[in-house]
Amino acid sequence: MGSTEPFWIEINISQLRKNIKLIQADMPKNLRLCSVLKNQAYGHGAVKVAQEMVAAGSSQIAVSTLQEAMELKNAKIHCPILIFGERTSLEIESCIENDFIFFVNDSAVAEISNTIAKKHGKKVEIQIEVDTGLSRYGVRWDSAVEIIESIAHFSHLNVTGVMTHFAMSDELDKTFANEQIRRFDECIEQIRKNKKIAESILFHASNTGGFLDLPTAHYDQVRIGILPLGIYPSKVCRRIEGIKPILEFKSRVASIKNLHVGDVVGYGMHYKATSTRTIAVLPMGYGTGFPRLRNQGYVLICGKRAPIVGGNAMNAMMVDVTDIAETKRGDEVILIGRQGEEQITAVDVASWCGTVCYDILTRLSLEIPRIYKN
Ligand SMILES: *Cc1c(COP(=O)(O)O)cnc(C)c1O
């Protein structure tokens, strides 16, 4: 597999299908699934993941840019596409032409959207985001109802969704998440007083963390990105038995060398051998999007952990294989994935450099060859 490449990513589509099945079996009946596929499905390939999610019955797909939505449409993904965030006035026209669902969070944007929709002779589907505490996109919860009602009055706009987003849904402390739920519930209650407006609206709030840990925040739909990829957003959120990562990042040993006592390794000379060591050099570094590390973390070779030594370079990385005597040039190396009894997850790599797994995954260069296995 990938034998002519110095490094590559393997994506296990049959495990993706298993993960989706396990998630659906865990979902309450009638709960809709919106598949979040932004940033190339966190580096896994948006079109490939979309095909599986739609085949499995996703009711909606969400991305965060117009370009991402166009890519899925051009790939003949037949599913309503929602674009998170805010659109510029120029983008609104493209959204309307292509029937993408976008967010309208204030009356100025509603006015522009309504005018363009009218010009195209369309009644366009839009959603509204309620900011219940993340202080990101959307209308602040305490003035949301008023604005939602005024937006709903535009004759060429059809409000089909009202959503919010959690600041912290996957940690043990759910105090703030529960406060956000309370704020959102208050909005929903007000909106429901106007049956005509409420009728066509789907309410949604939960990402993977909310889906797993906040059943009172499921509403009509959950928006799930990371879980079908087999990754949990935190170490403490609920587990679903059988869900496994589908992505593996691999390379091969380019060369092996022996260090004498006092030899240093890598830019910045962050490692100095205090005994004779055997080092494997890998033909990849932070140029692939793998984080820049210094004497931190490890890779897997021959099913064993080989510690990263020195600072990894743009196109090279050195690992200590003194205790893995069988290592040879050309041996497969696991940067993320499983080998024998050992496993390295994106969450592990994230912990080596003080970030989150989403960051590790979305940084993996799209130029790394992806091999999709069934
Ligand atoms: C990214 C995102 C999600 C998906 O989050 P996961 O933790 O990957 O499930 C859901 N909703 C919004 C608004 C997002 O930006």
Side-chain angles (χ1 to χ4, degrees):
M1 265 302 185
S3 56
T4 63
E5 306 286 349
F7 47 82
W8 68 97
I9 285 172
E10 290 175 17
I11 313 248
N12 185 339
I13 295 291
S14 54
Q15 185 62 46
L16 171 62
R17 289 187 193 126
K18 277 184 207 156
N19 291 345
I20 300 169
K21 279 215 174 77
L22 290 165
I23 292 166
Q24 286 176 323
D26 188 85
M27 281 172 64
K29 237 180 141 216
N30 298 328
L31 181 60
R32 290 161 186 256
L33 173 60
C34 168
S35 303
V36 180
L37 301 171
K38 61 197 182 196
N39 291 76
Q40 288 300 333
Y42 307 154
H44 291 62
V47 171
K48 293 280 186 186
V49 179
Q51 284 164 345
E52 300 303 325
M53 297 303 301
V54 172
S58 274
S59 55
Q60 220 165 50
I61 284 172
V63 292
S64 56
T65 68
L66 180 59
Q67 288 69 24
E68 292 172 329
M70 285 306 305
E71 186 189 351
L72 293 173
K73 186 179 178 183
N74 290 336
K76 307 257 180 303
I77 301 296
H78 294 296
C79 188
I81 300 175
L82 174 68
I83 312 179
F84 288 148
E86 297 266 353
R87 306 276 59 82
T88 64
S89 301
L90 281 176
E91 288 179 319
I92 289 170
E93 181 124 37
S94 297
C95 287
I96 290 174
E97 280 167 1
N98 289 290
D99 300 314
F100 298 142
I101 308 165
F102 58 101
F103 283 85
V104 173
N105 298 328
D106 65 60
S107 34
V109 176
E111 189 79 57
I112 295 165
S113 306
N114 190 64
T115 305
I116 300 172
K118 190 172 172 186
K119 189 179 94 185
H120 286 268
K122 287 184 175 177
K123 179 146 183 160
V124 306
E125 207 178 308
I126 57 123
Q127 298 214 0
I128 299 169
E129 178 160 354
V130 180
D131 174 13
T132 55
L134 184 61
S135 300
R136 201 169 77 172
Y137 298 114
V139 43
R140 198 182 152 91
W141 78 93
D142 49 13
S143 49
V145 176
E146 228 178 296
I147 293 180
I148 291 167
E149 285 182 346
S150 78
I151 293 172
H153 281 116
F154 284 91
S155 57
H156 290 266
L157 304 182
N158 185 16
V159 185
T160 58
V162 170
M163 69 94 122
T164 193
H165 194 41
F166 290 115
M168 195 166 96
S169 58
D170 52 14
E171 296 299 327
L172 289 176
D173 184 351
K174 306 289 195 223
T175 315
F176 193 64
N178 284 322
E179 175 60 16
Q180 287 189 271
I181 295 172
R182 196 194 60 74
R183 292 169 181 174
F184 195 48
D185 281 342
E186 216 173 87
C187 290
I188 294 174
E189 199 188 305
Q190 294 296 316
I191 294 166
R192 288 216 167 112
K193 285 186 180 155
N194 188 331
K195 283 214 171 53
K196 225 175 125 238
I197 294 175
E199 212 172 46
S200 60
I201 296 178
L202 287 181
F203 294 98
H204 49 112
S206 286
N207 53 2
T208 293
F211 165 63
L212 290 170
D213 287 359
L214 297 165
T216 59
H218 283 171
Y219 302 102
D220 300 313
Q221 168 171 283
V222 289
R223 305 183 302 268
I224 291 186
I226 200 136
L227 194 58
L229 309 174
I231 301 164
Y232 290 95
S234 83
K235 293 201 155 115
V236 294
C237 60
R238 182 170 69 89
R239 281 351 195 207
I240 296 174
E241 181 69 33
I243 285 191
K244 290 186 193 137
I246 67 166
L247 176 147
E248 292 194 301
F249 184 19
K250 300 186 179 182
S251 183
R252 314 191 165 273
V253 173
S255 69
I256 293 175
K257 64 179 40 177
N258 296 306
L259 298 186
H260 297 198
V261 173
D263 284 353
V264 296
V265 176
Y267 290 133
M269 310 190 302
H270 293 289
Y271 178 87
K272 190 172 193 170
T274 54
S275 56
T276 57
R277 311 300 301 171
T278 309
I279 296 295
V281 182
L282 314 184
M284 51 71 62
Y286 63 78
T288 61
F290 192 81
R292 187 162 171 267
L293 297 164
R294 288 173 176 170
N295 298 321
Q296 234 186 8
Y298 52 88
V299 302
L300 303 179
I301 300 177
C302 304
K304 295 181 186 136
R305 296 181 181 196
I308 295 167
V309 290
N312 55 336
M314 194 186 301
N315 305 105
M317 186 152 126
M318 284 66 81
V319 299
D320 188 331
V321 293
T322 311
D323 298 330
I324 315 173
E326 62 271 39
T327 308
K328 326 180 283 308
R329 209 172 111 91
D331 278 354
E332 194 167 281
V333 177
I334 302 290
L335 298 142
I336 297 174
R338 180 180 280 282
Q339 201 178 51
E341 300 296 296
E342 289 282 351
Q343 184 179 26
I344 300 171
T345 65
V347 178
D348 295 327
V349 178
S351 73
W352 300 336
C353 46
T355 186
V356 291
C357 59
Y358 300 84
D359 184 21
I360 298 298
L361 293 168
T362 55
R363 272 198 252 177
L364 293 177
S365 167
L366 297 173
E367 284 166 27
I368 304 171
R370 261 75 170 167
I371 298 166
Y372 292 90
K373 302 190 302 179
N374 269 305

